[in-house]
Amino acid sequence: MAERLEIIKNENKKLKESLKQKDKELSFFIEVGKALTSTLEFKEILKIIMDNAQKLVRSEAWSILLVDEKTNELYFELVKGKKTGKIKNIRLKVGEGIAGWVAKKGMPLIVPDVSKDKRFFSGVDKKTKFRTKSILCVPIISKNKTLGVLELINKIGGSSFDQKELALMLKLIDHAAIAIERSMLYQRTAELAVTDDLTKLFNFRYLDQTLDIEIKRCKEIGGSVSLIFLDMDHFKLVNDNYGHLMGSRVLIEIAQILIDSLRDIDIISRYGGDEFVVVLPNTGAKTTYTTTKRIQNAIRRHLFLREEGLSIRLSASFGIATYPDHANSKLALIRLADQAMYKVKNMSRDAILIAQPGG
């Protein structure tokens, strides 16, 4: 009986330790998710991946190699660790070395002893005077396309990398995949012609694509995304009284107010006419309301067309909706924010309304 109680006690201890470790990992990856959604810059995302890889697995060296599509080669984009000074100018053919093999196959790999693996390319070690013993390498993939690889060299302590550490690296890259996708979409804006000619803000096409990515992120790693719909009050009177040219200049001033009032990662788009929509990644309804209040006050204080000698005051009506709190799809999110804004237009104008779940 005493022996059985001891077994149960040990099992409970192991279970508690396991749960504690899982809670620790969950908290870690929540913070990683927040960091990844704080930027649209591809290189900054890679730095976040590298920094957190270092925290998860202690190694002698870490590197991120990216695929150069023009030459079908891998080049070292980020490197940290011992004897990395000469590594920047080294390139590998896709398929060459462990990193090249992982890039070509799109599969992760642990090599416990590189001296026993024919795929290992010793040229990098010869140039850097570094001695590689073991490697953990995972592909960085977005939309079924390998962009590069994350490589860890020589685990501290001398033992080989294990499957648990490989799983942590894959989880890290999975978290980064959505951020990479967002960044690449952002970088392609010029090619896709997704800006409004007048205000230089994004147009509906980009808004639509952004929402797809943000909702996908929410489904995969949690969090929320909010929309602000705003429509200028009595804007028709500006056109009627001062002409369409002055109306266009007002819209440009509105665009600048929005840019000044929002974060770099918030997506601002001109929806049509005098309507604007803002996408706020990783932001709930309460914070969005505070942000919207700031925009509302900035519009109220602003003297429009001052340079043209008019100095007129305007206001706007605002609607807010948040996924998944209020809506369960992209279309529902757009519809609810739009409806909330129109309720304000039909009641008092110059006010903010948060949508109700289901609308």
Side-chain angles (χ1 to χ4, degrees):
M1 184 69 177
E3 185 179 344
R4 179 163 178 77
L5 285 172
E6 187 64 27
I7 292 170
I8 293 171
K9 184 179 177 182
N10 288 334
E11 287 177 350
N12 285 339
K13 185 180 178 181
K14 287 180 182 178
L15 180 61
K16 285 180 181 178
E17 288 174 354
S18 176
L19 289 172
K20 187 177 179 181
Q21 181 61 29
K22 286 182 179 178
D23 284 344
K24 188 177 178 182
E25 285 181 19
L26 179 61
S27 297
F28 177 84
F29 282 109
I30 286 172
E31 291 305 311
V32 170
K34 287 179 180 177
L36 287 167
T37 55
S38 69
T39 182
L40 289 168
E41 293 297 325
F42 184 59
K43 289 190 177 182
E44 184 62 27
I45 290 167
L46 294 181
K47 185 177 181 300
I48 291 167
I49 294 172
M50 178 76 89
D51 290 345
N52 285 285
Q54 290 178 267
K55 292 176 185 177
L56 286 169
V57 182
R58 294 181 66 231
S59 306
E60 289 183 10
W62 302 260
S63 58
I64 290 179
L65 297 91
L66 297 180
V67 176
D68 184 335
E69 292 183 353
K70 292 179 181 178
T71 62
N72 199 36
E73 292 176 325
L74 287 168
Y75 63 93
F76 288 88
E77 176 63 31
L78 278 178
V79 184
K80 288 192 178 181
K82 299 178 180 178
K83 299 182 180 180
T84 58
K86 297 179 181 179
I87 209 166
K88 280 284 186 178
N89 297 323
I90 299 173
R91 283 181 167 241
L92 301 171
K93 287 289 183 185
V94 171
E96 183 180 26
I98 302 302
W101 186 91
V102 170
K104 184 176 181 179
K105 300 292 185 180
M107 296 168 56
L109 185 66
I110 293 175
V111 180
D113 185 350
V114 298
S115 67
K116 297 178 181 178
D117 196 306
K118 292 180 180 179
R119 292 168 293 189
F120 177 66
F121 173 68
S122 61
V124 177
D125 279 9
K126 288 176 182 176
K127 286 188 178 181
T128 60
K129 307 303 180 185
F130 181 84
R131 189 188 168 200
T132 300
K133 301 171 188 174
S134 60
I135 296 176
L136 186 158
C137 192
V138 295
I140 300 172
I141 297 173
S142 177
K143 290 189 173 180
N144 299 317
K145 181 179 180 181
T146 301
L147 305 176
V149 298
L150 168 65
E151 193 174 52
L152 281 65
I153 309 292
N154 298 352
K155 181 179 173 181
I156 296 295
S159 61
S160 174
F161 298 103
D162 57 34
Q163 291 297 320
K164 183 181 177 182
E165 289 157 342
L166 176 61
L168 287 172
M169 290 300 106
L170 289 172
K171 193 171 183 180
L172 175 62
I173 296 301
D174 282 345
H175 275 68
I178 298 296
I180 289 170
E181 200 172 316
R182 289 171 67 236
S183 172
M184 293 183 73
L185 175 60
Y186 180 76
Q187 299 301 328
R188 289 199 305 267
T189 55
E191 300 169 28
L192 296 173
V194 291
T195 53
D196 173 58
D197 289 338
L198 175 66
T199 62
K200 307 308 176 186
L201 299 176
F202 293 117
N203 60 19
F204 177 76
R205 180 181 181 181
Y206 185 77
L207 170 74
D208 191 57
Q209 292 172 332
T210 295
L211 281 176
D212 283 334
I213 292 173
E214 290 302 326
I215 288 174
K216 180 181 176 183
R217 177 187 62 79
C218 292
K219 287 178 179 178
E220 292 188 2
I221 63 173
S224 55
V225 56
S226 292
L227 279 192
I228 304 171
F229 257 73
L230 77 93
D231 185 89
M232 296 305 296
D233 296 331
H234 306 295
F235 183 74
K236 185 176 181 298
L237 294 178
V238 175
N239 286 330
D240 290 347
N241 293 333
Y242 307 109
H244 288 277
L245 179 59
M246 293 299 105
S248 294
R249 290 183 180 176
V250 166
L251 295 177
I252 293 170
E253 291 183 44
I254 288 291
Q256 191 58 52
I257 289 171
L258 292 172
I259 291 168
D260 292 342
S261 302
L262 292 156
R263 305 169 297 182
D264 290 342
I265 64 163
D266 297 327
I267 306 300
I268 312 167
S269 64
R270 185 183 177 197
Y271 196 64
D274 58 325
E275 287 186 355
F276 296 83
V277 181
V278 181
V279 181
L280 294 94
N282 210 33
T283 308
K286 186 176 179 181
T287 302
T288 302
Y289 181 86
T290 302
T291 300
T292 307
K293 192 71 182 174
R294 184 166 64 246
I295 296 168
Q296 181 189 37
N297 289 333
I299 292 172
R300 284 171 173 171
R301 291 192 302 266
H302 188 77
L303 291 174
F304 289 89
L305 303 176
R306 187 165 54 182
E307 290 185 5
E308 287 76 18
L310 295 173
S311 296
I312 62 175
R313 292 190 182 273
L314 297 170
S315 64
S317 299
F318 301 85
I320 294 170
T322 300
Y323 176 94
D325 296 356
H326 306 130
N328 59 9
S329 70
K330 176 181 70 175
L331 292 178
L333 184 67
I334 293 171
R335 175 176 55 81
L336 289 174
D338 192 31
Q339 286 178 352
M341 182 268 290
Y342 272 103
K343 284 180 182 177
V344 173
K345 297 287 283 187
N346 293 330
M347 291 186 298
S348 61
R349 300 180 191 266
D350 190 23
I352 304 166
L353 182 65
I354 299 176
Q356 295 300 309

